[in-house]
């Protein structure tokens, strides 16, 4: 059962991301059918997000690389849960999601999606 406190936290996160963030997209790439083949299908989902560079103390050169971005994505109005393999467009760049945290404290309500994005080449 959803706890009302998390719905309020979700609304607060949405307000802050809308105020300080930007419009972006989360692109999900569906691979071709293994039997029939075909082309991969890219589906774009509009999102409101805040990309932020990691502080130097977090960059270790293995898990978090220089140039990686911590991206806060509003869960309000987003019909998918961003996951590893998706691509986030922010600041005019494409970032592949290499790690993510849905922040579902009660297991039901996603307060905010926080993902680690690595620039695609």
């Amino acid at each position: 059962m959803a706890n009302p406190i998390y719905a309020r936290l979700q609304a607060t996160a949405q307000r802050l991301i809308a105020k300080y963030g930007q419009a972006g997209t989360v692109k999900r790439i569906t691979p071709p059918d293994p039997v029939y083949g075909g082309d991969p299908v890219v589906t774009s989902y509009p999102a409101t997000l805040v990309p932020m560079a990691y502080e130097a103390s977090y960059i270790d050169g293995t898990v978090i690389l220089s140039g990686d971005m911590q991206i806060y994505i509003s869960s309000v109005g987003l019909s998918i849960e961003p996951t590893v393999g998706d691509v986030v467009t922010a600041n005019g760049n494409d970032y592949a999601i290499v790690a993510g945290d849905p922040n579902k404290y009660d297991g039901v309500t996603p307060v905010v999606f926080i993902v680690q994005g690595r620039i695609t080449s």
Side-chain angles (χ1 to χ4, degrees):
M1 183 170 143
N3 188 330
I5 188 80
Y6 300 118
R8 290 195 343 235
L9 286 172
Q10 183 186 52
T12 300
Q14 166 60 21
R15 270 194 313 277
L16 290 170
I17 291 171
K19 182 175 181 178
Y20 297 106
Q22 60 184 266
T25 59
V26 177
K27 292 185 259 185
R28 177 151 296 163
I29 302 166
T30 306
D33 186 278
V35 175
Y36 297 111
D39 294 327
V41 178
V42 178
T43 307
S44 295
Y45 300 90
T48 307
L49 48 89
V50 177
M52 295 186 292
Y54 280 97
E55 292 181 24
S57 61
Y58 290 108
I59 298 172
D60 61 3
T62 56
V63 176
I64 300 175
L65 305 178
S66 179
D68 284 1
M69 298 289 274
Q70 188 173 25
I71 305 170
Y72 289 74
I73 304 171
S74 174
S75 61
V76 175
L78 189 60
S79 59
I80 62 166
E81 183 174 310
T83 186
V84 174
D86 291 345
V87 176
V88 177
T89 302
N91 292 336
N93 295 317
D94 287 337
Y95 296 93
I97 296 176
V98 295
D101 184 2
N103 288 284
K104 290 184 183 178
Y105 303 113
D106 61 354
V108 178
T109 308
V111 174
V112 64
F113 298 116
I114 303 173
V115 299
Q116 176 185 353
R118 186 162 294 152
I119 197 143
T120 59
S121 44

